[in-house]
Amino acid sequence: MRVAIVGASGAVGQEILNILAERNFPLDDLVLFGSERSAGKKYNFKGKEYEVKLLQHNDDFKDVDIVFTSAGAGISKEYVETITKFGAVMIDNSSAFRMDKDVPLVVPEINAEDALNCPRGVIANPNCTTIMMVVVLNPIEKLSHIKKVHVSSYQSASGAGATAMKELEQQYKEMVEDGKVSTINKFPHQLAYNVIPQIDKMMENDYTKEEMKMYEETRKIMHSDIRTSATCVRVSSLRSHSESVWFETKEQISVEQIREALKNAPGVTLVDDPQNYVYPMPLESAGKDNIFVGRVRKDLADDNGNTLWLTGDQIRKGAALNAIQIGEYLIKSGNIK
């Protein structure tokens, strides 16, 4: 089993390395790829040192079985043929192919079997906020069909990558030392001591691209006509995203039914004792695999509605872990040997 990581030096690439080791992923050889800036860097994996190779259009992917790509949509589109031409399966963490009809969009807790039908050799990893939401919605969907969702996200700096996390730390440092922020590169505005109600570019309908991803990807993953209206907000925390989710089901379901379903759901941890002020927070979900859920309650404005709060590590389940779980499923199913 030969595994490659494209974008090995980025935040998600580094997390993929960590999780491969944590989960003892069944690989015999590892190949790391990066840009000119990261080529030559060395990383330790399970006691062995690996050097990042420059990503090029050559035969480097010959004899590679699985390739985890996390270097942006542009790189994924440019290198997809180079990566897959010898038979490697490309598990892509960018938005490049998510809505292509011949590319499965997979969250293993929900639609793992979709990964077995990938005619182009490409499997797409969904958007982080979508992954977190559907992992929680899926057990509820089994109680009663979810017709529509309203969601507001509270997304940390980690969603914009390692350099964005450093920028937020730098902004706080500048505020303390100089009383003003002078470093604004990764975000459209100052993030320190602020929230920005925009993630990704604005679309013609005045929703952002991030918000439209949640609408489109949720339907594809859940094989559903569910409608999602999202407002995605960047907040000044370093790691882990949170979401406030309102959902309307076809039939009325109780809070007790929802809690019971979430308690037994894969990839979910219920943290819900509101009378004792127990609920999940991003500080607690950072570095964890599961999506944490609390504040489950009846919607006062909709008889068939309920609402909940969730938080999860965007770099882990929102990106690296989900991709690795797809790879594990392919191996377990015998699709990759």
Side-chain angles (χ1 to χ4, degrees), residues 256-312:
E256 290 72 25
Q257 285 177 290
I258 294 168
R259 284 179 176 147
E260 192 63 28
L262 294 173
K263 195 184 299 181
N264 298 310
V268 174
T269 298
L270 185 65
V271 182
D272 193 28
D273 185 5
Q275 293 304 312
N276 290 303
Y277 309 104
V278 175
Y279 35 70
M281 293 178 286
L283 275 176
E284 297 161 345
S285 64
K288 307 287 176 50
D289 287 347
N290 279 5
I291 307 304
F292 291 74
V293 189
R295 297 295 317 275
V296 182
R297 59 201 188 279
K298 203 72 184 168
D299 190 341
L300 297 177
D302 188 335
D303 290 341
N304 284 22
N306 288 279
T307 184
L308 55 80
W309 168 264
L310 65 85
T311 181

Short mmCIF file of all heavy atoms in Angstrom, two decimals, residues 256-312:
data_model
loop_
_atom_site.label_atom_id
_atom_site.label_comp_id
_atom_site.label_asym_id
_atom_site.label_seq_id
_atom_site.Cartn_x
_atom_site.Cartn_y
_atom_site.Cartn_z
N GLU A 256 -36.55 14.45 22.99
CA GLU A 256 -36.06 13.18 23.55
C GLU A 256 -35.68 12.20 22.44
O GLU A 256 -34.66 11.50 22.55
CB GLU A 256 -37.13 12.56 24.45
CG GLU A 256 -37.38 13.31 25.75
CD GLU A 256 -38.11 14.64 25.55
OE1 GLU A 256 -38.83 14.78 24.52
OE2 GLU A 256 -37.94 15.54 26.40
N GLN A 257 -36.47 12.13 21.38
CA GLN A 257 -36.14 11.27 20.25
C GLN A 257 -34.84 11.69 19.60
O GLN A 257 -34.00 10.86 19.23
CB GLN A 257 -37.27 11.31 19.21
CG GLN A 257 -38.52 10.56 19.56
CD GLN A 257 -39.58 10.74 18.49
OE1 GLN A 257 -40.15 11.81 18.33
NE2 GLN A 257 -39.83 9.67 17.73
N ILE A 258 -34.67 12.99 19.44
CA ILE A 258 -33.46 13.52 18.80
C ILE A 258 -32.23 13.20 19.65
O ILE A 258 -31.20 12.74 19.15
CB ILE A 258 -33.59 15.03 18.57
CG1 ILE A 258 -34.69 15.32 17.55
CG2 ILE A 258 -32.26 15.62 18.09
CD1 ILE A 258 -35.10 16.78 17.46
N ARG A 259 -32.34 13.45 20.94
CA ARG A 259 -31.20 13.18 21.83
C ARG A 259 -30.82 11.70 21.79
O ARG A 259 -29.63 11.36 21.77
CB ARG A 259 -31.53 13.60 23.26
CG ARG A 259 -31.49 15.11 23.49
CD ARG A 259 -31.85 15.46 24.91
NE ARG A 259 -31.72 16.89 25.16
CZ ARG A 259 -32.49 17.57 26.00
NH1 ARG A 259 -33.46 16.95 26.67
NH2 ARG A 259 -32.32 18.86 26.18
N GLU A 260 -31.81 10.84 21.80
CA GLU A 260 -31.54 9.40 21.77
C GLU A 260 -30.86 9.01 20.46
O GLU A 260 -29.91 8.20 20.46
CB GLU A 260 -32.84 8.62 21.95
CG GLU A 260 -32.65 7.14 22.22
CD GLU A 260 -31.91 6.85 23.52
OE1 GLU A 260 -31.99 7.68 24.46
OE2 GLU A 260 -31.25 5.80 23.59
N ALA A 261 -31.32 9.56 19.35
CA ALA A 261 -30.72 9.26 18.05
C ALA A 261 -29.27 9.75 17.98
O ALA A 261 -28.39 9.05 17.46
CB ALA A 261 -31.54 9.90 16.93
N LEU A 262 -29.02 10.94 18.51
CA LEU A 262 -27.67 11.50 18.48
C LEU A 262 -26.73 10.75 19.42
O LEU A 262 -25.55 10.57 19.13
CB LEU A 262 -27.71 12.99 18.86
CG LEU A 262 -28.42 13.91 17.88
CD1 LEU A 262 -28.54 15.32 18.44
CD2 LEU A 262 -27.69 13.94 16.54
N LYS A 263 -27.28 10.29 20.54
CA LYS A 263 -26.47 9.55 21.52
C LYS A 263 -25.87 8.29 20.91
O LYS A 263 -24.77 7.86 21.27
CB LYS A 263 -27.35 9.19 22.72
CG LYS A 263 -26.59 8.76 23.96
CD LYS A 263 -27.56 8.34 25.06
CE LYS A 263 -28.47 9.46 25.48
NZ LYS A 263 -29.40 9.06 26.57
N ASN A 264 -26.60 7.69 19.96
CA ASN A 264 -26.16 6.42 19.37
C ASN A 264 -25.58 6.57 17.96
O ASN A 264 -25.30 5.58 17.29
CB ASN A 264 -27.36 5.46 19.30
CG ASN A 264 -27.90 5.13 20.68
OD1 ASN A 264 -27.15 4.76 21.57
ND2 ASN A 264 -29.20 5.29 20.88
N ALA A 265 -25.39 7.80 17.52
CA ALA A 265 -24.95 8.05 16.14
C ALA A 265 -23.43 7.97 16.00
O ALA A 265 -22.70 8.49 16.87
CB ALA A 265 -25.44 9.41 15.67
N PRO A 266 -22.93 7.35 14.93
CA PRO A 266 -21.48 7.32 14.71
C PRO A 266 -20.93 8.72 14.44
O PRO A 266 -21.55 9.52 13.72
CB PRO A 266 -21.34 6.43 13.48
CG PRO A 266 -22.66 6.51 12.78
CD PRO A 266 -23.68 6.68 13.86
N GLY A 267 -19.80 9.02 15.04
CA GLY A 267 -19.14 10.30 14.80
C GLY A 267 -19.72 11.46 15.58
O GLY A 267 -19.33 12.61 15.36
N VAL A 268 -20.65 11.19 16.50
CA VAL A 268 -21.34 12.24 17.25
C VAL A 268 -21.15 12.02 18.75
O VAL A 268 -21.22 10.89 19.23
CB VAL A 268 -22.84 12.27 16.92
CG1 VAL A 268 -23.58 13.28 17.81
CG2 VAL A 268 -23.07 12.60 15.45
N THR A 269 -20.92 13.10 19.48
CA THR A 269 -20.90 13.06 20.94
C THR A 269 -21.92 14.06 21.46
O THR A 269 -21.85 15.25 21.15
CB THR A 269 -19.51 13.41 21.50
OG1 THR A 269 -18.55 12.44 21.05
CG2 THR A 269 -19.51 13.42 23.03
N LEU A 270 -22.89 13.58 22.23
CA LEU A 270 -23.93 14.44 22.78
C LEU A 270 -23.44 15.03 24.10
O LEU A 270 -23.08 14.30 25.03
CB LEU A 270 -25.21 13.63 23.00
CG LEU A 270 -26.44 14.42 23.46
CD1 LEU A 270 -26.89 15.40 22.39
CD2 LEU A 270 -27.58 13.47 23.84
N VAL A 271 -23.42 16.36 24.17
CA VAL A 271 -23.03 17.08 25.38
C VAL A 271 -24.17 18.06 25.66
O VAL A 271 -24.16 19.21 25.22
CB VAL A 271 -21.70 17.83 25.19
CG1 VAL A 271 -21.28 18.53 26.48
CG2 VAL A 271 -20.61 16.89 24.71
N ASP A 272 -25.19 17.61 26.39
CA ASP A 272 -26.43 18.37 26.42
C ASP A 272 -27.12 18.28 27.77
O ASP A 272 -27.96 17.41 28.01
CB ASP A 272 -27.35 17.87 25.30
CG ASP A 272 -28.52 18.82 25.06
OD1 ASP A 272 -28.38 20.02 25.33
OD2 ASP A 272 -29.58 18.34 24.60
N ASP A 273 -26.74 19.18 28.67
CA ASP A 273 -27.40 19.29 29.97
C ASP A 273 -27.62 20.78 30.23
O ASP A 273 -26.93 21.40 31.05
CB ASP A 273 -26.52 18.65 31.06
CG ASP A 273 -27.20 18.61 32.41
OD1 ASP A 273 -28.39 19.00 32.51
OD2 ASP A 273 -26.55 18.23 33.40
N PRO A 274 -28.57 21.37 29.51
CA PRO A 274 -28.69 22.84 29.50
C PRO A 274 -28.97 23.44 30.86
O PRO A 274 -28.49 24.56 31.16
CB PRO A 274 -29.85 23.09 28.52
CG PRO A 274 -30.60 21.80 28.45
CD PRO A 274 -29.58 20.73 28.64
N GLN A 275 -29.73 22.76 31.72
CA GLN A 275 -30.06 23.33 33.02
C GLN A 275 -28.83 23.47 33.92
O GLN A 275 -28.82 24.26 34.87
CB GLN A 275 -31.13 22.47 33.71
CG GLN A 275 -32.48 22.51 33.01
CD GLN A 275 -33.02 23.93 32.86
OE1 GLN A 275 -33.03 24.70 33.83
NE2 GLN A 275 -33.48 24.28 31.66
N ASN A 276 -27.80 22.71 33.60
CA ASN A 276 -26.54 22.83 34.34
C ASN A 276 -25.44 23.49 33.50
O ASN A 276 -24.26 23.37 33.81
CB ASN A 276 -26.08 21.44 34.81
CG ASN A 276 -26.97 20.90 35.91
OD1 ASN A 276 -27.14 21.52 36.95
ND2 ASN A 276 -27.57 19.74 35.68
N TYR A 277 -25.88 24.20 32.45
CA TYR A 277 -24.98 24.97 31.58
C TYR A 277 -23.90 24.11 30.94
O TYR A 277 -22.75 24.52 30.77
CB TYR A 277 -24.34 26.14 32.35
CG TYR A 277 -25.38 26.97 33.08
CD1 TYR A 277 -25.55 26.87 34.45
CD2 TYR A 277 -26.21 27.85 32.38
CE1 TYR A 277 -26.52 27.60 35.12
CE2 TYR A 277 -27.19 28.58 33.02
CZ TYR A 277 -27.34 28.46 34.40
OH TYR A 277 -28.31 29.19 35.04
N VAL A 278 -24.31 22.88 30.58
CA VAL A 278 -23.38 21.96 29.91
C VAL A 278 -23.75 21.90 28.43
O VAL A 278 -24.87 21.51 28.07
CB VAL A 278 -23.46 20.54 30.53
CG1 VAL A 278 -22.58 19.57 29.74
CG2 VAL A 278 -23.02 20.59 32.00
N TYR A 279 -22.82 22.32 27.59
CA TYR A 279 -23.00 22.34 26.14
C TYR A 279 -21.61 22.34 25.51
O TYR A 279 -20.61 22.69 26.16
CB TYR A 279 -23.80 23.56 25.70
CG TYR A 279 -23.54 24.81 26.53
CD1 TYR A 279 -22.31 25.49 26.44
CD2 TYR A 279 -24.49 25.27 27.44
CE1 TYR A 279 -22.07 26.60 27.21
CE2 TYR A 279 -24.24 26.39 28.22
CZ TYR A 279 -23.04 27.06 28.10
OH TYR A 279 -22.78 28.15 28.88
N PRO A 280 -21.50 21.95 24.26
CA PRO A 280 -20.17 21.87 23.65
C PRO A 280 -19.65 23.24 23.20
O PRO A 280 -20.44 24.11 22.79
CB PRO A 280 -20.40 20.95 22.45
CG PRO A 280 -21.84 21.13 22.10
CD PRO A 280 -22.56 21.42 23.38
N MET A 281 -18.34 23.39 23.28
CA MET A 281 -17.68 24.62 22.84
C MET A 281 -16.45 24.27 22.01
O MET A 281 -15.87 23.20 22.19
CB MET A 281 -17.29 25.48 24.05
CG MET A 281 -18.49 26.03 24.81
SD MET A 281 -18.02 26.99 26.28
CE MET A 281 -17.49 25.68 27.39
N PRO A 282 -16.03 25.18 21.12
CA PRO A 282 -14.90 24.86 20.24
C PRO A 282 -13.60 24.56 20.97
O PRO A 282 -12.80 23.76 20.50
CB PRO A 282 -14.78 26.10 19.34
CG PRO A 282 -15.62 27.16 19.96
CD PRO A 282 -16.66 26.47 20.76
N LEU A 283 -13.39 25.17 22.11
CA LEU A 283 -12.18 24.87 22.87
C LEU A 283 -12.11 23.40 23.24
O LEU A 283 -11.03 22.80 23.33
CB LEU A 283 -12.12 25.71 24.16
CG LEU A 283 -11.54 27.12 24.04
CD1 LEU A 283 -11.64 27.84 25.37
CD2 LEU A 283 -10.09 27.09 23.56
N GLU A 284 -13.28 22.78 23.46
CA GLU A 284 -13.33 21.38 23.89
C GLU A 284 -13.32 20.41 22.71
O GLU A 284 -12.88 19.27 22.84
CB GLU A 284 -14.58 21.15 24.74
CG GLU A 284 -14.58 21.96 26.03
CD GLU A 284 -15.96 22.09 26.64
OE1 GLU A 284 -16.95 21.80 25.94
OE2 GLU A 284 -16.05 22.48 27.81
N SER A 285 -13.80 20.86 21.55
CA SER A 285 -13.83 19.96 20.39
C SER A 285 -12.53 19.96 19.60
O SER A 285 -12.28 19.06 18.80
CB SER A 285 -15.00 20.32 19.46
OG SER A 285 -14.83 21.61 18.91
N ALA A 286 -11.69 20.97 19.81
CA ALA A 286 -10.41 21.04 19.09
C ALA A 286 -9.57 19.81 19.38
O ALA A 286 -9.40 19.39 20.53
CB ALA A 286 -9.65 22.30 19.49
N GLY A 287 -9.07 19.19 18.32
CA GLY A 287 -8.24 18.01 18.45
C GLY A 287 -9.02 16.71 18.61
O GLY A 287 -8.42 15.64 18.71
N LYS A 288 -10.34 16.78 18.59
CA LYS A 288 -11.17 15.59 18.75
C LYS A 288 -11.75 15.15 17.39
O LYS A 288 -11.92 15.96 16.48
CB LYS A 288 -12.32 15.87 19.72
CG LYS A 288 -11.88 16.43 21.07
CD LYS A 288 -11.24 15.38 21.93
CE LYS A 288 -10.71 15.95 23.24
NZ LYS A 288 -11.66 16.76 23.98
N ASP A 289 -12.09 13.87 17.30
CA ASP A 289 -12.61 13.32 16.05
C ASP A 289 -14.10 13.57 15.85
O ASP A 289 -14.55 13.82 14.74
CB ASP A 289 -12.35 11.81 15.99
CG ASP A 289 -10.88 11.48 15.76
OD1 ASP A 289 -10.12 12.40 15.40
OD2 ASP A 289 -10.50 10.31 15.93
N ASN A 290 -14.87 13.47 16.92
CA ASN A 290 -16.32 13.53 16.80
C ASN A 290 -16.84 14.96 16.68
O ASN A 290 -16.15 15.93 17.02
CB ASN A 290 -16.99 12.87 18.01
CG ASN A 290 -17.03 11.36 17.89
OD1 ASN A 290 -16.48 10.78 16.95
ND2 ASN A 290 -17.69 10.70 18.81
N ILE A 291 -18.10 15.06 16.22
CA ILE A 291 -18.82 16.33 16.25
C ILE A 291 -19.62 16.36 17.54
O ILE A 291 -20.36 15.41 17.86
CB ILE A 291 -19.77 16.46 15.03
CG1 ILE A 291 -18.99 16.23 13.73
CG2 ILE A 291 -20.44 17.83 15.04
CD1 ILE A 291 -17.79 17.15 13.52
N PHE A 292 -19.48 17.44 18.31
CA PHE A 292 -20.13 17.56 19.61
C PHE A 292 -21.42 18.37 19.46
O PHE A 292 -21.43 19.41 18.82
CB PHE A 292 -19.18 18.23 20.60
CG PHE A 292 -18.00 17.36 20.97
CD1 PHE A 292 -16.95 17.15 20.08
CD2 PHE A 292 -17.94 16.75 22.21
CE1 PHE A 292 -15.88 16.34 20.40
CE2 PHE A 292 -16.86 15.94 22.55
CZ PHE A 292 -15.82 15.73 21.64
N VAL A 293 -22.50 17.87 20.08
CA VAL A 293 -23.82 18.47 19.90
C VAL A 293 -24.47 18.75 21.25
O VAL A 293 -24.38 17.94 22.18
CB VAL A 293 -24.75 17.53 19.09
CG1 VAL A 293 -26.04 18.26 18.73
CG2 VAL A 293 -24.08 17.02 17.84
N GLY A 294 -25.13 19.90 21.34
CA GLY A 294 -25.89 20.24 22.53
C GLY A 294 -26.95 21.28 22.22
O GLY A 294 -27.24 21.55 21.06
N ARG A 295 -27.53 21.87 23.27
CA ARG A 295 -28.60 22.88 23.12
C ARG A 295 -29.74 22.37 22.24
O ARG A 295 -30.35 23.13 21.48
CB ARG A 295 -28.06 24.18 22.54
CG ARG A 295 -27.02 24.94 23.34
CD ARG A 295 -27.47 25.50 24.67
NE ARG A 295 -28.80 26.13 24.65
CZ ARG A 295 -29.03 27.40 24.30
NH1 ARG A 295 -28.03 28.17 23.90
NH2 ARG A 295 -30.25 27.88 24.36
N VAL A 296 -30.05 21.08 22.31
CA VAL A 296 -31.16 20.52 21.53
C VAL A 296 -32.46 21.01 22.17
O VAL A 296 -32.68 20.83 23.37
CB VAL A 296 -31.12 18.98 21.51
CG1 VAL A 296 -32.27 18.44 20.67
CG2 VAL A 296 -29.78 18.48 20.99
N ARG A 297 -33.31 21.63 21.36
CA ARG A 297 -34.56 22.16 21.92
C ARG A 297 -35.61 22.34 20.82
O ARG A 297 -35.28 22.38 19.64
CB ARG A 297 -34.31 23.48 22.63
CG ARG A 297 -33.73 24.57 21.76
CD ARG A 297 -33.04 25.63 22.63
NE ARG A 297 -32.62 26.78 21.86
CZ ARG A 297 -31.50 26.85 21.13
NH1 ARG A 297 -30.69 25.79 21.05
NH2 ARG A 297 -31.19 27.95 20.48
N LYS A 298 -36.85 22.45 21.25
CA LYS A 298 -37.97 22.65 20.34
C LYS A 298 -37.93 24.08 19.80
O LYS A 298 -37.69 25.03 20.55
CB LYS A 298 -39.29 22.40 21.08
CG LYS A 298 -40.45 22.05 20.17
CD LYS A 298 -40.29 20.65 19.62
CE LYS A 298 -41.39 20.32 18.63
NZ LYS A 298 -41.09 19.09 17.88
N ASP A 299 -38.16 24.21 18.50
CA ASP A 299 -38.21 25.53 17.87
C ASP A 299 -39.53 26.20 18.23
O ASP A 299 -40.61 25.66 17.94
CB ASP A 299 -38.06 25.37 16.36
CG ASP A 299 -37.86 26.70 15.65
OD1 ASP A 299 -38.18 27.75 16.23
OD2 ASP A 299 -37.38 26.69 14.50
N LEU A 300 -39.47 27.38 18.83
CA LEU A 300 -40.68 28.08 19.25
C LEU A 300 -41.47 28.65 18.08
O LEU A 300 -42.64 29.01 18.23
CB LEU A 300 -40.31 29.22 20.22
CG LEU A 300 -39.66 28.80 21.54
CD1 LEU A 300 -39.29 30.03 22.36
CD2 LEU A 300 -40.58 27.89 22.34
N ALA A 301 -40.83 28.74 16.90
CA ALA A 301 -41.49 29.37 15.76
C ALA A 301 -42.03 28.37 14.75
O ALA A 301 -42.62 28.77 13.74
CB ALA A 301 -40.51 30.32 15.06
N ASP A 302 -41.82 27.06 14.98
CA ASP A 302 -42.22 26.06 13.98
C ASP A 302 -42.60 24.78 14.71
O ASP A 302 -41.78 24.18 15.40
CB ASP A 302 -41.05 25.81 13.02
CG ASP A 302 -41.42 24.93 11.84
OD1 ASP A 302 -42.38 24.15 11.96
OD2 ASP A 302 -40.74 25.02 10.79
N ASP A 303 -43.85 24.33 14.54
CA ASP A 303 -44.32 23.13 15.24
C ASP A 303 -43.53 21.88 14.87
O ASP A 303 -43.38 20.97 15.68
CB ASP A 303 -45.81 22.90 14.93
CG ASP A 303 -46.70 23.95 15.58
OD1 ASP A 303 -46.22 24.62 16.53
OD2 ASP A 303 -47.84 24.11 15.13
N ASN A 304 -43.04 21.82 13.64
CA ASN A 304 -42.25 20.68 13.19
C ASN A 304 -40.75 20.97 13.22
O ASN A 304 -39.97 20.26 12.59
CB ASN A 304 -42.67 20.26 11.77
CG ASN A 304 -43.98 19.51 11.75
OD1 ASN A 304 -44.77 19.62 12.67
ND2 ASN A 304 -44.22 18.75 10.69
N GLY A 305 -40.39 22.01 13.94
CA GLY A 305 -38.99 22.43 13.97
C GLY A 305 -38.30 22.14 15.28
O GLY A 305 -38.92 22.09 16.34
N ASN A 306 -37.01 21.91 15.19
CA ASN A 306 -36.14 21.79 16.36
C ASN A 306 -34.84 22.51 16.05
O ASN A 306 -34.55 22.83 14.89
CB ASN A 306 -35.85 20.32 16.68
CG ASN A 306 -37.06 19.61 17.27
OD1 ASN A 306 -37.34 19.71 18.45
ND2 ASN A 306 -37.80 18.89 16.43
N THR A 307 -34.06 22.77 17.08
CA THR A 307 -32.81 23.49 16.89
C THR A 307 -31.73 22.88 17.77
O THR A 307 -32.02 22.27 18.81
CB THR A 307 -32.98 24.99 17.18
OG1 THR A 307 -31.77 25.68 16.89
CG2 THR A 307 -33.37 25.23 18.63
N LEU A 308 -30.49 23.00 17.32
CA LEU A 308 -29.37 22.47 18.08
C LEU A 308 -28.11 23.27 17.78
O LEU A 308 -28.06 24.06 16.84
CB LEU A 308 -29.16 20.97 17.78
CG LEU A 308 -28.97 20.53 16.32
CD1 LEU A 308 -27.54 20.76 15.83
CD2 LEU A 308 -29.35 19.07 16.14
N TRP A 309 -27.10 23.01 18.58
CA TRP A 309 -25.79 23.65 18.45
C TRP A 309 -24.76 22.54 18.29
O TRP A 309 -24.83 21.52 18.96
CB TRP A 309 -25.49 24.48 19.70
CG TRP A 309 -24.08 24.96 19.86
CD1 TRP A 309 -23.09 24.37 20.58
CD2 TRP A 309 -23.52 26.15 19.31
NE1 TRP A 309 -21.94 25.12 20.52
CE2 TRP A 309 -22.17 26.22 19.74
CE3 TRP A 309 -24.01 27.17 18.50
CZ2 TRP A 309 -21.32 27.27 19.39
CZ3 TRP A 309 -23.16 28.22 18.14
CH2 TRP A 309 -21.84 28.25 18.59
N LEU A 310 -23.82 22.73 17.38
CA LEU A 310 -22.76 21.72 17.20
C LEU A 310 -21.41 22.40 17.05
O LEU A 310 -21.32 23.56 16.65
CB LEU A 310 -23.07 20.82 16.01
CG LEU A 310 -23.10 21.45 14.60
CD1 LEU A 310 -21.70 21.51 13.98
CD2 LEU A 310 -24.04 20.66 13.69
N THR A 311 -20.38 21.67 17.38
CA THR A 311 -19.03 22.17 17.19
C THR A 311 -18.10 21.00 16.88
O THR A 311 -18.30 19.88 17.37
CB THR A 311 -18.53 22.96 18.43
OG1 THR A 311 -17.20 23.44 18.20
CG2 THR A 311 -18.51 22.09 19.68
N GLY A 312 -17.11 21.24 16.03
CA GLY A 312 -16.19 20.18 15.65
C GLY A 312 -14.89 20.74 15.11
O GLY A 312 -14.82 21.90 14.69
#
